[in-house]
Amino acid sequence: GSVLIALQGRLLDQRHGQSMTPIEMIRETIAQDVIREIVIKLHPKETYSEPELAALQEFRNNPRVSFRQDDIGLLLNDCDYAVTQNSSVAFKGLLHTRPAILFGASDFHHLFQNVNQIGVARAFRNVTAARMAYAKYVYWFLQGNSINAGREGAAERILAYCRRFGWEI
């Protein structure tokens, strides 16, 4: 099996809501999951600085680590679970019935192991333990807790939501 680490930008910075830097997240993943191959995917639209690329070099020497730029759907199909700060890759993983560990705050945190809430060791211990109701969660998140702009009455719902917060429209 493998672990997919989906990276975003600013690999050396711990941003608001993140439990650690993305580089530290990679180190923790390698340390916590000592069995699986670690597949790292750089964000395709991100430009990484020389210091960031240099920091990634330490992982290129690890025989369990590979860097791949394949289609994210293929990578999700092939992995046992995903690790990310708060990337939409974790949400896409729901469509592939893949669990995930989040190292950062996210709007779609409910179904995932969240390091900020339960810690690193527990998140890795739990990630593959339970079977999740993936389809039910996607429906709940997108239809029950979001406004579907393609549905009848969407404009009225958006206006009502804005007014509820006191916005003059």
Side-chain angles (χ1 to χ4, degrees), residues 36-166:
R36 291 174 179 86
E37 175 191 0
I38 309 297
V39 176
I40 298 173
K41 178 169 174 63
L42 299 173
H43 196 286
K45 294 184 179 176
E46 191 69 42
T47 301
Y48 295 98
S49 68
E50 287 301 320
E52 289 173 314
L53 294 173
L56 289 171
Q57 195 57 39
E58 78 176 84
F59 308 115
R60 294 188 188 279
N61 299 324
N62 186 321
R64 284 195 312 125
V65 175
S66 64
F67 287 79
R68 293 181 42 198
Q69 286 303 109
D70 300 358
D71 175 75
I72 197 63
L74 294 173
L75 294 174
L76 284 165
N77 277 339
D78 291 345
C79 76
D80 294 331
Y81 62 93
V83 171
T84 185
Q85 292 287 354
N86 56 4
S87 170
S88 65
V89 168
F91 194 84
K92 289 176 186 172
L94 294 171
L95 305 175
H96 297 266
T97 63
R98 295 297 183 262
I101 297 174
L102 301 176
F103 277 74
S106 171
D107 290 338
F108 48 83
H109 61 89
H110 312 87
L111 202 62
F112 301 115
Q113 301 300 310
N114 190 310
V115 169
N116 284 340
Q117 294 173 348
I118 64 173
V120 173
R122 190 167 162 204
F124 278 91
R125 212 173 32 250
N126 293 347
V127 69
T128 59
R131 293 293 144 224
M132 305 295 180
Y134 296 103
K136 214 177 219 183
Y137 178 79
V138 170
Y139 183 84
W140 173 83
F141 189 83
L142 294 178
Q143 297 298 331
N145 291 286
S146 301
I147 298 173
N148 182 335
R151 287 218 166 151
E152 190 174 314
E156 293 81 14
R157 287 187 66 200
I158 292 169
L159 290 172
Y161 193 79
C162 293
R163 287 185 185 116
R164 193 167 70 204
F165 287 101

